[in-house]
Amino acid sequence: MKRLVPAEPYNGGVTSAPPSPTTVIRPGPSPARLDFASGIFDYAPAPESVRPEIAGSYGLFIGGTSVDAQGGKRFATTNPATGETISEVAEASAADVDRAVAAARAALPAWSALPGIERGKYLYRIARRLQERAREIAVLETIDGGKPIKESRDVDIPLAAAHFFYHAGWADKLAYAFPGTDPKPVGVCGQIIPWNFPLLMAAWKIAPALACGNTVVLKPAETTPLTALRLAEICDEVGLPAGVVNIVTGAGATGAAIVEHPGVDKIAFTGSTEVGKRIAKAVAGTDKTLTLELGGKSANIIFEDASIDQAVEGIIEGIYFNQGHVCCAGSRLFVQESIADRVTAKLRDRLATLRVGDPLDKNTDVGAINSRAQLDTIERYLRIGRDEGATLHEVNGSALPDAGNWCRPCFFTGVQPSHAIAREEIFGPVLAVMTFRTPAEAIERANNTPYGLAAGVWTDKGSKIFEVASKLDAGVVWLNTYNKFDPTSPFGGFKESGFGREGGRHGLRPYVRL
Ligand code: NAP
Ligand code: MG
């Protein structure tokens, strides 16, 4: 039989040489074993072999160069799977934010005057460079944030590149996006993002802003600054004019300095509803425009006529994907009463097989919790859920590493709508299972939340899909699937999940003046 030899993998920016295509890597004496408790074979370790180059310290990316923070303040970023410090990063003060805003302001006239087709070329170059450096950046994302390598490799980095490709295409077609108008850029955009999809959120923010002729000051989250700084490197590599993209690292105070800066024309924020409300107050009464992508408590609704095995996979994807660090996580499960026992039995079986542990292992399903603080929050909700009288099902027995932040995926049954675990965002791998009898009851209970980011509906009946989906107060409704993203599709919330959309033609709107 003809043997397919893989092409030489691209090794851009990577220190350790990848194995040559003819090398067969054997993991030593086979650690594969039969786990008699669960009746499944465990996999041999499959650690990612590439190690990205990580500097001992990083500066701020302002005006196209790396600069120290004024006063030289720095903070450490750690690997949540090991607790080890990975690198030190500059902590931007209000004065540093002022420098970044000045750089963005200075770059604005030339950048916004550039023909759209020329701006698009830069975006295409960034997209291609992200693809070329994808493996290195995926590993870095996993080391800094704790998510499984299979997710950063297959979801985060490819989608980030896709966002740049997609918006590159819009750069010279804005007049078609908004027919009969003459779209103009908004100006200097202050963008603040969270830690759950660090590079992807940066792409969601920067790509549409640049396509529309704006310049940017972006702040990544304190715990995951490294891939945004790689993106800064790429901006430099592709010759993006200095000051068009500025990256300022820091904590909440750095974000607040961006929000309060009078030279910023627009704020785009993704993060918690609590901070979002504070930002909305700070921006009220100013000339700044604002978009907010906030928290969620999304419902996944399973009807008795659904394909149950498929739905169980959707539940797993909905809440345990990325350790439940997903704003649109399907954290409330509504199961039709007649199938509740079957669904929970299958859920238990499936949950037992999820592999929790080393995020750099290619077989890992659930990685590390992003920070000690987030783990404390999750553990607090586990206690609250038990105290409120719900039943916690901890059926996953993965052996966890000694160091780092870990939470095994789990779910609660016996949950009442009034329970905190049914109302508040936990942002971890914890599912609240509830039941319903009729479609009307499912809709009413799913909508009984201050949030409105996403929902999932599982049924074999097309008419029921459209009936239920049209009555759910959620920005995104997935039908017989969950957590699927595409740059062409607008994403955003209702109610306390925020306003404004990212992606699609709708996502361009906040970045233009018409
Ligand atoms: P967060 O505490 O609100 O932080 C988000 C970002 O805002 C971080 O960069 C943070 O900096 C910064 N920040 C903190 N205080 C600030 C202030 N007073 N002014 C300006 N910026 C400030 O949220 P998180 O805990 O990192 O992220 C989880 C939340 O994000 C969840 O609620 C999740 O649902 C939401 N989220 C929503 C979406 C969406 O599209 N709707 C997507 C992803 C996440 P530091 O991290 O450095 O403190
Ligand atoms: Mg980190």
Side-chain angles (χ1 to χ4, degrees):
M1 207 210 283
K2 195 170 168 236
R3 199 163 60 90
L4 294 176
V5 178
E8 181 84 46
Y10 178 75
N11 184 29
V14 172
T15 44
S16 66
S20 80
T22 50
T23 311
V24 178
I25 302 173
R26 293 194 195 287
S30 172
R33 61 191 163 82
L34 182 60
D35 177 345
F36 290 100
S38 63
I40 58 157
F41 275 104
D42 204 355
Y43 296 146
E48 169 61 61
S49 57
V50 161
R51 283 293 178 276
E53 201 173 314
I54 303 176
S57 73
Y58 288 90
L60 310 168
F61 184 66
I62 296 179
T65 50
S66 177
V67 298
D68 282 334
Q70 275 192 1
K73 267 183 106 176
R74 322 192 138 270
F75 62 96
T77 183
T78 56
N79 179 343
T82 62
E84 288 161 358
T85 294
I86 314 166
S87 183
E88 285 200 336
V89 176
E91 183 174 341
S93 64
D96 296 313
V97 168
D98 190 46
R99 280 198 287 170
V101 172
R105 178 65 57 195
L108 185 64
W111 179 249
S112 58
L114 211 57
I117 196 160
E118 296 303 320
R119 286 200 307 272
K121 286 180 190 169
Y122 286 104
L123 292 176
Y124 279 123
R125 283 180 209 151
I126 294 172
R128 283 197 298 266
R129 203 65 192 120
L130 279 173
Q131 285 185 323
E132 286 164 357
R133 296 180 64 172
R135 190 164 173 199
E136 161 216 353
I137 296 175
V139 175
L140 187 63
E141 195 75 305
T142 284
I143 291 175
D144 202 13
K147 64 174 62 194
I149 185 67
K150 70 175 176 188
E151 280 170 20
S152 35
R153 181 195 63 199
D154 299 346
V155 181
D156 293 60
I157 313 307
L159 267 179
H163 268 268
F164 279 99
F165 276 121
Y166 175 74
H167 288 95
W170 272 124
D172 62 338
K173 302 176 194 70
L174 296 175
Y176 299 98
F178 306 102
T181 66
D182 179 20
K184 294 272 184 276
V186 175
V188 174
C189 301
Q191 307 183 317
I192 300 163
I193 57 172
W195 43 260
N196 57 346
F197 291 91
L199 184 74
L200 184 58
M201 289 298 113
W204 280 27
K205 295 272 180 286
I206 293 175
L210 264 48
C212 296
N214 303 280
T215 57
V216 162
V217 176
L218 175 123
K219 188 195 95 66
E222 188 182 356
T223 56
T224 53
L226 296 183
T227 49
L229 293 169
R230 278 301 204 267
L231 185 58
E233 255 176 59
I234 287 179
C235 290
D236 187 39
E237 281 175 358
V238 305
L240 189 75
V244 172
V245 168
N246 305 276
I247 310 275
V248 287
T249 44
T254 307
I258 295 175
V259 171
E260 280 152 25
H261 198 289
V264 172
D265 299 302
K266 179 202 159 36
I267 296 290
F269 172 79
T270 297
S272 61
T273 296
E274 185 196 339
V275 174
K277 284 180 178 173
R278 225 178 296 159
I279 290 177
K281 274 188 199 144
V283 165
T286 70
D287 290 339
K288 294 185 181 95
T289 59
L290 176 66
T291 43
L292 297 174
E293 300 278 0
L294 309 176
K297 191 75 185 175
S298 299
N300 216 349
I301 304 171
I302 305 195
F303 288 98
E304 60 191 2
D305 54 38
S307 159
I308 307 248
D309 288 332
Q310 197 190 339
V312 168
E313 280 314 300
I315 298 167
I316 298 282
E317 178 79 11
I319 180 69
Y320 304 119
F321 167 59
N322 199 24
Q323 299 73 249
H325 297 337
V326 183
C327 52
C328 50
S331 51
R332 289 181 301 151
L333 176 65
F334 293 101
V335 190
Q336 199 153 14
E337 213 171 70
S338 52
I339 54 163
D341 290 345
R342 264 173 78 200
V343 169
T344 43
K346 281 178 184 279
L347 187 58
R348 288 176 69 91
D349 289 348
R350 185 66 182 88
L351 213 57
T353 67
L354 290 181
R355 290 179 168 76
V356 189
D358 181 6
L360 282 173
D361 190 309
K362 292 165 197 160
N363 295 322
T364 293
D365 298 303
V366 178
I369 300 301
N370 182 265
S371 64
R372 182 69 233 180
Q374 186 58 32
L375 182 58
D376 290 344
T377 302
I378 297 168
E379 287 176 346
R380 185 164 54 82
Y381 277 109
L382 293 179
R383 281 194 301 277
I384 291 173
R386 275 184 300 229
D387 292 348
E388 285 176 325
T391 307
L392 178 60
H393 300 255
E394 286 181 304
V395 292
N396 187 280
S398 299
L400 299 181
D402 296 332
N405 312 321
W406 306 97
C407 177
R408 293 194 182 88
C410 58
F411 67 95
F412 279 105
T413 55
V415 180
Q416 298 300 321
S418 57
H419 287 170
I421 53 168
R423 289 184 291 109
E424 296 169 22
E425 186 179 45
I426 302 173
F427 224 58
V430 184
L431 175 67
V433 182
M434 292 166 276
T435 59
F436 66 92
R437 289 185 181 164
T438 63
E441 188 190 351
I443 294 164
E444 192 191 320
R445 296 191 60 186
N447 285 340
N448 182 16
T449 166
Y451 295 112
L453 197 51
V457 181
W458 300 81
T459 166
D460 200 27
K461 301 263 183 300
S463 55
K464 205 186 281 173
I465 283 184
F466 291 110
E467 164 77 4
V468 175
S470 64
K471 290 183 175 158
L472 289 172
D473 298 333
V476 179
V477 183
W478 283 292
L479 307 171
N480 291 328
T481 189
Y482 207 91
N483 268 346
K484 294 287 178 288
F485 302 94
D486 190 287
T488 63
S489 179
F491 183 92
F494 279 30
K495 302 194 279 186
E496 289 199 10
S497 291
F499 50 81
R501 294 291 178 264
E502 294 188 303
R505 197 169 53 83
H506 305 67
L508 298 170
R509 182 64 190 89
Y511 289 101
V512 289
R513 285 189 211 279
L514 298 180

